[in-house]
Amino acid sequence: MALIRLDALSLALGNRVLLDNAALQIEAGERIALVGLNGAGKSTLMKLISGEQQPDSGVIWRAPTLRIAQLPQALPQADERLVRQVVSDGLSDVVALREAYDALVLRQDAEAMRELDVLQQQIEAVDGWHLEQKVERVLTRLGLDPEQRMADLSGGWRRRAALGAALVQEPDLLLLDEPTNHLDIEAIEWLEQVLLDFQGGVLLISHDRAMVEHLATAIVELDRGILTKFPGNYARYLEQKEALLEEEARHRAEFDKKLAQEERWIRQGIKARRTRNEGRVRALEQMRRERSQRRERQGKANFALDEASKSGKLVVELEQVSHSFSGKTLIKDLDLKIQRGDRIGLIGPNGAGKSTLLKILLGDLVPEKGEVRFGTRMEVAYFDQMRDSLDPEKSIIDNVSGGRESVEVQGRSRHIISYLSDFLFSAERARTPVKALSGGECNRVLLARLFSKPANLLVLDEPTNDLDVETLELLEEILMGFAGTVLLVSHDRAFLDNVVTSTVVFEGQGVIKEYVGGYQDWLRQRMLPSATTSISDQPAEQVTTSDTAPMSAKPNTRKLSYKLQRELDSLPAELEAAEAELEALQQVCAAPDFYSQEHAQVAQALEQLQQQEALVERLMERWVELEALQQ
């Protein structure tokens, strides 16, 4: 059943076309990830769907009883409100009806009784008499303490309260704009499960590729004002998108070649002009108009990091460091050695002490116990997730340049306008106050300022928030090629996997351990018996992935039931056959002429591929589950 349908939607802000005759339909039960470059208009599209903004032209049809709730990008205020009140505010219209009813009950005149009858009908229509029960169910489901003040909560818990305000409305369609910002990994995985269990439709904007991969049943891309829907998960979208871009480039090359030929023809001599075909002339004029109206794909960010001279081999070393805050032990007897070239990711719940450890590593905080030794020739660049270092009243130029007309990058001087163009800011946009920018644009401003100064130690506190995927992937490439040292606080699991060489994990009660590799490597290692020994306990040159392998002693096994054992024995053959079928389907879909077929044939093949991928995944999960039962 269709929840909402957009037909021929157009919208422009000044000379920026955000939607150009765009169309989209969202069905009940769909979980759609909306992707596109920063500034493409994704958040604006959300506002159109919610009714906060109106298009220049086109039609937005909504199902008659459609209920829409949204989780905004901005965090709720850290004020004196109780969590219960914040969640109840999601039903503010119902609360208002109940308050009006309670006020009228005190009056005894006939007019008040008539108004009470009307109010009672309105309250019953929205099931308003069960307001308190609805709020309590959501508070319990989300693990929220109703009596806590918002001012006492971390960003992650405030985000959870805001989600409660959305879910209490029991919406048919849930709009989520960057919901993972300020959430730790545990909370992100919790949110994924909540959304998987949610029965309504979901429209999601997120830079978190792992979350999109786990949740999305379809991807909708907003590119140059056009909305295109791709069935399947994020990995499938990337394959389809690459094929479409190749096809678009081929068509454009053919068009441009023909246009050049016609331009040469029109400029021929007098003899040719006398025999000129007037229809051909009109066709050329139409081609010129078509070419002038072509909307080019926005370029990718193209920045690079200016590396300072090498630091000493030792960056910082901690020995038996302990520190507490407000009576809570954040760090206990930590031994940690960071050397030049290490790229270390800090993983832990919000409030675990990641920022405290960073301050100790940078020398901004003296620990209560233990010894800290610093290396030499350190030049630090710091990325602040809260963007406190940006002046919202000043322009992008002033925030980045600090009054300079040019910046020195990689040994050469560049004008500030030219430098900012690498971060996708036009000359006009570069003069815009920071307060008028989107979240992703603010992060690009921070990156521009960060990379305008040479550094050999990068400290990045949630740098991926709000960045579009293409800019995020470029940042990954830069960090992986950086010869200096990187300290990274991030809850983006894919980003951690792609960038870091080891993870420092806050495991509770002040215990901090280091593991080889990224997020997925940590998940594997923490399940092993020897994972209780951290990398910091061993000489750096002796650490290999085999150091975390289990001992060779034969593990105790449990005997499966006859039925489960037969299922386990048959699974390898079933899995092999399913994978072979999947490989065959992948080859069909990867053929060069695959997308030139009829749309129905393409859609049917992609649906078969998606079903086969799901089958392989189910068989693999069942095999792992049964194997684990024997351990």
Side-chain angles (χ1 to χ4, degrees), residues 131 147 170 263-264 306 315 326 381 398 427 524-525 583:
L131 168 69
E147 303 307 318
E170 299 177 345
E263 292 288 3
R264 285 196 298 272
D306 195 10
V315 174
S326 298
D398 290 337
R524 286 190 291 270
Q525 294 173 68
E583 185 177 353

Side-chain angles (χ1 to χ4, degrees), residues 230-356:
F230 298 85
N233 58 17
Y234 184 71
R236 190 75 196 111
Y237 152 73
L238 292 177
E239 295 173 10
Q240 296 174 71
K241 181 60 179 176
E242 183 177 359
L244 285 179
L245 288 176
E246 289 175 358
E247 184 69 10
E248 179 184 338
R250 186 177 66 80
H251 281 302
R252 288 193 169 190
E254 291 175 355
F255 178 91
D256 291 345
K257 181 180 179 181
K258 184 177 180 181
L259 177 59
Q261 291 171 345
E262 295 301 287
E263 292 288 3
R264 285 196 298 272
W265 170 78
I266 202 70
R267 290 194 297 270
Q268 287 177 0
I270 294 173
K271 183 178 179 180
R273 291 194 186 100
R274 289 175 182 165
T275 59
R276 187 179 300 158
N277 182 302
E278 293 302 321
R280 190 171 177 182
V281 173
R282 288 193 295 272
L284 172 59
E285 291 172 348
Q286 175 60 31
M287 290 180 73
R288 285 172 173 171
R289 285 193 294 271
E290 186 177 337
R291 179 63 183 85
S292 67
Q293 293 169 4
R294 179 190 294 175
R295 298 189 64 204
E296 300 292 347
R297 182 171 170 80
Q298 181 180 342
K300 295 182 180 180
N302 184 33
F303 49 84
L305 181 58
D306 195 10
E307 294 184 20
S309 58
K310 285 185 178 181
S311 67
K313 183 176 181 181
L314 174 69
V315 174
V316 61
E317 183 173 14
L318 309 185
E319 287 189 3
Q320 293 294 292
V321 165
S322 297
H323 196 81
S324 60
F325 182 76
S326 298
K328 178 184 178 183
T329 300
L330 300 178
I331 303 170
K332 182 180 180 182
D333 299 330
L334 174 62
D335 292 328
L336 179 65
K337 187 175 185 179
I338 300 175
Q339 300 188 39
R340 183 180 65 230
D342 287 346
R343 298 193 300 272
I344 297 177
L346 275 62
I347 297 177
N350 290 330
K354 299 187 295 295
S355 297
T356 300

Side-chain angles (χ1 to χ4, degrees), residues 102-262:
D102 292 341
L104 280 172
V105 167
L106 300 176
R107 291 168 50 186
Q108 300 296 323
D109 54 274
E111 183 181 353
M113 297 303 294
R114 285 193 296 272
E115 292 180 18
L116 279 173
D117 287 339
V118 173
L119 279 174
Q120 182 170 345
Q121 293 174 17
Q122 292 175 337
I123 292 170
E124 289 174 352
V126 294
D127 194 24
W129 298 119
H130 298 105
L131 168 69
E132 291 80 9
Q133 293 94 319
K134 289 181 180 181
V135 172
E136 286 299 331
R137 280 199 302 269
V138 170
L139 289 168
T140 301
R141 180 182 175 188
L142 302 188
L144 291 164
D145 182 348
E147 303 307 318
Q148 276 197 299
R149 297 183 313 144
M150 293 295 284
D152 297 331
L153 297 180
S154 67
W157 282 100
R158 280 188 281 148
R159 173 75 67 186
R160 194 177 288 213
L163 178 62
L167 292 178
V168 78
Q169 300 173 49
E170 299 177 345
D172 304 299
L173 178 60
L174 187 58
L175 307 180
L176 305 170
D177 194 350
E178 295 291 359
T180 62
N181 284 359
H182 310 289
L183 294 185
D184 55 44
I185 290 177
E186 184 179 353
I188 291 171
E189 292 176 338
W190 164 86
L191 176 60
E192 285 178 359
Q193 192 57 52
V194 169
L195 295 178
L196 284 170
D197 295 339
F198 179 63
Q199 298 301 307
V202 174
L203 183 61
L204 163 76
I205 300 173
S206 179
H207 68 273
D208 191 316
R209 290 160 292 178
M211 175 178 239
V212 171
E213 180 72 20
H214 293 159
L215 285 179
T217 59
I219 308 294
V220 170
E221 182 185 56
L222 177 53
D223 181 16
R224 292 164 285 180
I226 304 300
L227 291 169
T228 308
K229 193 171 186 177
F230 298 85
N233 58 17
Y234 184 71
R236 190 75 196 111
Y237 152 73
L238 292 177
E239 295 173 10
Q240 296 174 71
K241 181 60 179 176
E242 183 177 359
L244 285 179
L245 288 176
E246 289 175 358
E247 184 69 10
E248 179 184 338
R250 186 177 66 80
H251 281 302
R252 288 193 169 190
E254 291 175 355
F255 178 91
D256 291 345
K257 181 180 179 181
K258 184 177 180 181
L259 177 59
Q261 291 171 345
E262 295 301 287

Side-chain angles (χ1 to χ4, degrees), residues 380-545:
V380 181
Y382 193 101
F383 183 99
D384 172 24
Q385 68 155 320
M386 300 308 292
R387 306 172 188 145
D388 291 338
S389 56
L390 294 179
D391 187 334
E393 300 300 326
K394 289 184 177 180
S395 68
I396 297 172
I397 291 175
D398 290 337
N399 270 282
V400 173
S401 70
R404 299 171 291 172
E405 288 190 1
S406 61
V407 293
E408 193 80 17
V409 181
Q410 294 187 316
R412 64 189 184 98
S413 179
R414 295 189 60 189
H415 192 277
I416 187 64
I417 296 293
S418 172
Y419 174 67
L420 288 173
S421 68
D422 290 347
F423 295 81
L424 302 182
F425 293 116
S426 65
E428 179 183 3
R429 192 66 172 166
R431 295 181 174 87
T432 303
V434 164
K435 65 182 179 182
L437 303 181
S438 69
E441 288 175 314
C442 285
N443 271 16
R444 291 210 309 267
V445 174
L446 281 172
L447 289 174
R449 187 162 72 178
L450 183 78
F451 291 173
S452 68
K453 300 173 183 177
N456 52 34
L457 173 58
L458 287 180
V459 182
L460 306 173
D461 191 355
E462 287 293 350
T464 65
N465 284 354
D466 304 317
L467 288 182
D468 59 64
V469 172
E470 291 184 345
T471 304
L472 192 154
E473 289 174 346
L474 175 59
L475 179 58
E476 287 178 349
E477 291 178 18
I478 290 171
L479 295 179
M480 286 188 287
F482 180 52
T485 307
V486 177
L487 300 178
L488 170 66
V489 177
S490 180
H491 301 131
D492 188 319
R493 294 156 290 178
F495 193 77
L496 287 166
D497 282 334
N498 293 338
V499 170
V500 304
T501 56
S502 66
T503 54
V504 170
V505 183
F506 289 71
E507 301 192 338
Q509 298 181 331
V511 176
I512 301 173
K513 296 177 182 177
E514 188 177 5
Y515 297 85
V516 170
Y519 173 74
Q520 293 296 333
D521 297 307
W522 163 59
L523 288 183
R524 286 190 291 270
Q525 294 173 68
R526 71 175 181 172
M527 303 303 293
L528 302 175
S530 62
T532 55
T533 301
S534 73
I535 296 173
S536 302
D537 297 331
Q538 309 169 50
E541 60 272 336
Q542 295 180 8
V543 175
T544 66
T545 52

